[in-house]
Amino acid sequence: HPHSRPRHPRTRTMVPLLLLLLATAHGLEKIQYKPELAVSNLEGRTTASTFVLEQPRCIFKNYSDTEIWLVVAIPSAIPDFNNSLAPGSPERAFQKFPESAHAYMTLGTTFMNYPCNRTPGEITVLRVGSETSCAKDMSRPTCNGPLPGPGPYQVKFLAFNSLTVPLAETEWSEPITLRTGSAAGTLMKSRHSAGMIALTSILSILLAILLAILVAMLVSCGSDTCGSSGTFSKPDMVSVQRYNTHHVYDQPAAQL
Ligand SMILES: *[C@@H]1O[C@H](CO)[C@@H](O)[C@H](O)[C@H]1NC(C)=O
Ligand SMILES: *[C@@H]1O[C@H](CO)[C@@H](O)[C@H](O)[C@H]1NC(C)=O
């Protein structure tokens, strides 16, 4: 058929588009799973800029061909959250979080890394905020950089297919607040002591200057320089003294 031949390239380009439309029409599946902070009693489950989550093991078993991303958002971004924004897009860049990007996506990985069967001794947690090297690197918008403040933050996992169409999502976690108490305390303490150190050093410098001036005055007065500077007063005093002594001793002599 001459008619069917030109149709082939067209259908080839139509297939991904159709798949995309189908996926969007089908919508996102909501998986009944809420991401949680690591249950093991790890030291530093939350720090001032990181927190540790349980891996979403086995959660995406019906989506084994997808790429699973962690979404970190500020709570105000959740009501009208746009799941269609792809990981690495400017609106989801770590470097712009939380000012112009109200959420970022990081730790993208395949289902293979979140398998159902657990081998003993295996790490089954994720540390969010552990990558400092890319925190300011705009070319790495999916950086797992240190969190910019105490939060609170809410997280979920979102699975995208190869066309970066979201297929499945978990629920949002409870708000996660990072540690501030001790960190702020030590900061204030160190600021306080820094101020004290500055004040003490200024005072001691002032005292040293005063002492130096005093010493300089004493030294210069003991040497000839003080004498030369006092040329106007010393001879006068001497002459007055001489005059006085002369006068005082002269008069009784004259009277006698
Ligand atoms: C996975 O898919 C199977 C069949 O397609 C279904 O019975 C099951 O409920 C699904 N599991 C989840 C967690 O969605
Ligand atoms: C969500 O993001 C996609 C991709 O950028 C965009 O096409 C769509 O309009 C956005 N939806 C809303 C409701 O903002």
Side-chain angles (χ1 to χ4, degrees):
H1 254 273
H3 270 285
S4 58
R5 273 202 176 172
R7 267 179 118 180
H8 279 287
R10 228 176 160 191
T11 38
R12 227 175 278 151
T13 55
M14 285 292 278
V15 164
L17 205 77
L18 244 153
L19 274 173
L20 195 146
L21 276 171
L22 266 171
T24 336
H26 181 256
L28 202 59
E29 195 199 324
K30 266 195 194 286
I31 298 171
Q32 301 297 305
Y33 170 78
K34 201 179 257 192
E36 280 178 346
L37 284 175
V39 287
S40 58
N41 209 1
L42 276 175
E43 185 62 36
R45 215 159 65 127
T46 61
T47 69
S49 61
T50 67
F51 55 91
V52 182
L53 291 175
E54 284 293 320
Q55 289 182 1
R57 291 263 171 149
C58 206
I59 303 298
F60 290 94
K61 64 168 180 267
N62 280 7
Y63 298 92
S64 53
D65 292 336
T66 59
E67 206 165 58
I68 300 151
W69 288 81
L70 175 73
V71 185
V72 182
I74 52 172
S76 63
I78 285 167
D80 57 350
F81 191 80
N82 190 344
N83 288 305
S84 301
L85 287 165
S89 59
E91 297 91 337
R92 293 283 177 262
F94 170 80
Q95 289 80 8
K96 295 179 179 172
F97 180 78
E99 286 82 24
S100 58
H102 297 319
Y104 68 93
M105 280 188 255
T106 189
L107 296 167
T109 188
T110 58
F111 175 75
M112 276 197 343
N113 289 312
Y114 299 138
C116 294
N117 49 338
R118 218 170 252 241
T119 40
E122 205 179 1
I123 296 168
T124 59
V125 296
L126 296 170
R127 184 172 285 278
V128 183
S130 63
E131 221 178 341
T132 48
S133 58
C134 54
K136 296 216 161 79
D137 187 349
M138 291 302 230
S139 67
R140 292 181 60 193
T142 59
C143 179
N144 179 24
L147 289 135
Y153 304 104
Q154 279 178 276
V155 302
K156 73 172 176 183
F157 292 97
L158 191 53
F160 290 87
N161 67 8
S162 56
L163 302 166
T164 58
V165 174
L167 295 185
E169 65 170 342
T170 68
E171 295 168 31
W172 287 100
S173 71
E174 295 298 325
I176 296 164
T177 306
L178 304 188
R179 287 182 188 211
T180 45
S182 56
T186 46
L187 196 71
M188 268 173 72
K189 223 173 168 183
S190 65
R191 260 192 203 151
H192 190 70
S193 59
M196 288 290 280
I197 288 163
L199 200 74
T200 313
S201 51
I202 286 168
L203 276 173
S204 54
I205 286 165
L206 278 174
L207 267 169
I209 289 168
L210 265 170
L211 205 77
I213 288 168
L214 267 169
V215 165
M217 276 173 76
L218 281 171
V219 164
S220 68
C221 280
S223 70
D224 297 346
T225 44
C226 194
S228 67
S229 71
T231 36
F232 297 105
S233 57
K234 230 180 179 177
D236 272 4
M237 265 171 78
V238 167
S239 64
V240 165
Q241 263 178 349
R242 262 185 200 157
Y243 177 77
N244 279 349
T245 43
H246 204 75
H247 190 75
V248 166
Y249 283 100
D250 259 1
Q251 270 201 340
Q255 268 178 354
L256 279 168

